[in-house]
Amino acid sequence: MSDTITNTFLHDLPSADGYFGEYGGSFIPDQLKAVMDEITQAYLDIREDPEFRRELAELYSHYVGRPSPVFHARNLSRKCGAEIFLKREDLNHTGAHKINHCLGEALLAKKMGKKKLIAETGAGQHGVALATAAALVGLECDIYMGEVDIRKEHPNVVRMAILGARVIPATHGRKTLKEAVDAAFEAYLEDPINQLYAIGSVVGPHPFPMMVRDFQSIVGNEARAQMLTQTGQLPDNVVACVGGGSNAVGIFSAFLEDQDVKLWGVEPAGRDLETDGEHAATMTKGEPGIMHGFKSYMLKDAEGEPQEVYSVASGLDYPSVGPQHSFLKDSGRVTYDTINDQEAIEAFFELSRSEGIIPAIESSHAVAYALKLAKTHPGESILVNLSGRGDKDIDFVVEHYGDAFGVHLAN
Ligand SMILES: *Cc1c(COP(=O)(O)O)cnc(C)c1O
């Protein structure tokens, strides 16, 4: 039985045209079809190329600092009644899991003879990771960012500039992430030969959901081996937050065939799961549809357009989700549930004060869910993908929640 599941879940997916069951595919303008086929073919060639694999493996060890540790959070475990293990992606160079796929995309672009990487960014996390990879590999880098976000996310804008990237403001509409996507896509259409649009998660048209998943699968492969070495067993549960879904699919991919390991994906319930625009719980509240070049669950408004979404974690507020997650939801292999802003912030402080680890607010959603699971699954082991560190969030958290958690800064 497990053999068929093995094949269905991982090795056969996606299909040659990029489908995970009914989800995924490639819904793009005709003028991009040839170029996207070229990227697919180049990637399929390169992923079997020992030279490319060696180069990437070397960067993962000596540049990113892999393998990232798995840490048994004993203080937190004692408090919550389950055994909590943290996969420390927060310790990577640039502070999150995103560097894993940005390096892969940058190397691919270089091998294909592209001159420039382009991408959009919301809070700037993807922009910084990509600008880093571009600097290292030796490519130009243009990052499109809403004018409003440029003002809000000043430190990341400065980082990108120092790294040598151009930050190009999107000045139309609401001047945030959606407009940045429009601007980046328009720029890409102008010269798809010399540029590579480096997508920031397991979303977009084929081959990106497959390619970004493959680059992130190192997280799960390492963590699975580390759990076996450190505890002699596989974890009973694996938990990850889901924005586009790259850190989640990265850690889940190694465990899909282990039927006894329960997998949990955590979506942001924001301020209110029952009000449109106040959350970004795509699979919990959405329905299948097509946006940004692929088919998946999405949150639509009355006109069928992408809904406004919200989460306190800016890395999680995307109105769709990677197509493989939609497939894993329908198949029942992964359970998707939600954590709201308040619960995430509580977990942010809990982990900081129990273990001396300040998590990203995105990752705090996964930590909060692990603490909930501990109540219903006492004594079990729970492996959490700690996707990033919270340095980027400290000022925001203290300004909005400091009082409630006893942070009083003298000034
Ligand atoms: C961007 C980001 C996420 C969300 O992206 P996924 O593709 O869903 O993983 C989660 N955690 C951190 C720290 C991030 O920077």
Side-chain angles (χ1 to χ4, degrees):
M1 178 192 101
S2 74
D3 268 1
T4 29
I5 289 169
T6 299
N7 289 333
T8 318
F9 275 130
L10 200 53
H11 304 301
D12 289 352
L13 290 178
S15 62
D17 49 357
Y19 280 90
F20 302 85
E22 63 172 297
Y23 303 106
S26 182
F27 299 83
I28 52 176
D30 282 340
Q31 69 202 98
L32 281 184
K33 290 216 161 93
V35 114
M36 211 54 81
D37 286 348
E38 244 174 70
I39 295 172
T40 305
Q41 198 48 55
Y43 172 65
L44 291 174
D45 291 345
I46 244 172
R47 89 170 164 181
E48 309 299 335
D49 174 13
E51 171 60 24
F52 176 80
R53 295 165 72 110
R54 192 191 53 75
E55 212 173 327
L56 190 58
E58 210 170 282
L59 290 181
Y60 282 162
S61 336
H62 303 305
Y63 187 72
V64 180
R66 308 206 67 88
S68 63
V70 163
F71 175 66
H72 186 187
R74 289 196 173 80
N75 299 327
L76 199 60
S77 300
R78 209 172 303 122
K79 282 190 189 172
C80 75
E83 297 308 316
I84 309 280
F85 293 84
L86 305 172
K87 178 60 172 163
R88 300 285 314 271
E89 291 299 294
D90 60 311
L91 293 178
N92 294 342
H93 179 46
T94 68
H97 69 289
K98 285 191 174 77
I99 192 73
N100 300 328
H101 63 250
C102 285
L103 282 175
E105 289 176 317
L107 275 187
L108 173 69
K110 182 86 174 174
K111 302 256 179 213
M112 290 185 75
K114 309 275 183 194
K115 299 203 164 40
K116 187 189 277 183
L117 291 169
I118 67 172
E120 82 287 344
T121 194
Q125 294 306 109
H126 176 51
V128 170
L130 193 67
T132 301
L136 178 73
V137 169
L139 291 166
E140 292 171 49
C141 184
D142 284 354
I143 301 295
Y144 294 81
M145 192 168 181
E147 212 169 42
V148 169
D149 291 332
I150 288 180
R151 259 181 272 127
K152 252 171 70 182
E153 309 290 347
H154 185 68
N156 276 342
V157 175
V158 175
R159 281 187 192 102
M160 288 184 269
I162 290 174
L163 291 162
R166 277 205 306 172
V167 179
I168 301 169
T171 54
H172 66 291
R174 297 166 63 101
K175 304 175 186 169
T176 61
L177 181 61
K178 184 182 171 297
E179 289 74 25
V181 175
D182 296 342
F185 197 68
E186 217 169 276
Y188 183 52
L189 281 179
E190 276 171 24
D191 186 5
I193 304 297
N194 290 305
Q195 311 184 98
L196 185 105
Y197 194 146
I199 293 179
S201 187
V202 284
V203 299
H206 183 60
F208 286 92
M210 167 180 74
M211 191 161 87
V212 172
R213 173 200 67 192
D214 292 353
F215 291 138
Q216 287 296 344
S217 66
I218 188 161
V219 177
N221 291 337
E222 282 177 5
R224 189 176 184 283
Q226 287 165 313
M227 288 300 290
L228 287 173
T229 308
Q230 293 173 218
T231 73
Q233 285 168 337
L234 293 176
D236 298 309
N237 304 274
V238 179
V239 179
C241 65
V242 179
S246 65
N247 87 87
V249 97
I251 197 160
F252 292 164
S253 60
F255 298 98
L256 289 172
E257 301 159 20
D258 301 312
Q259 291 300 307
D260 293 338
V261 178
K262 299 180 278 290
L263 306 176
W264 309 89
V266 185
E267 299 194 300
R271 279 187 286 252
D272 180 13
L273 193 55
E274 303 311 323
T275 306
D276 288 356
E278 293 292 308
H279 64 82
T282 305
M283 285 177 287
T284 307
K285 288 290 176 182
E287 53 189 301
I290 293 166
M291 68 176 272
H292 294 165
F294 66 105
K295 181 177 176 191
S296 197
Y297 276 86
M298 60 182 278
L299 291 164
K300 302 179 201 177
D301 65 15
E303 281 80 50
E305 292 296 309
Q307 209 178 81
E308 290 295 327
V309 285
Y310 162 81
S311 163
V312 68
S314 49
L316 300 182
D317 61 354
Y318 182 60
S320 184
V321 68
Q324 189 168 3
H325 286 291
S326 294
F327 174 77
L328 290 169
K329 171 189 162 65
D330 287 3
S331 73
R333 179 64 187 94
V334 180
T335 304
Y336 295 90
D337 204 344
T338 62
I339 282 294
N340 65 31
D341 284 3
Q342 186 62 33
E343 295 167 314
I345 296 297
E346 284 168 15
F348 175 95
F349 281 103
E350 185 63 60
L351 186 63
S352 299
R353 290 172 181 183
S354 299
E355 305 287 353
I357 297 171
I358 303 176
I361 307 182
E362 289 80 5
S363 324
S364 301
H365 284 71
V367 174
Y369 199 73
L371 297 175
K372 259 192 185 174
L373 266 187
K375 297 202 179 105
T376 49
H377 299 67
E380 292 192 2
S381 58
I382 305 174
L383 172 65
V384 177
N385 194 0
L386 202 68
S387 54
R389 67 176 83 130
D391 300 32
K392 67 187 177 60
D393 299 315
I394 54 176
D395 289 336
F396 174 87
V397 168
V398 167
E399 183 185 337
H400 291 87
Y401 302 93
D403 276 348
F405 289 87
V407 181
H408 305 292
L409 302 178
N411 48 15

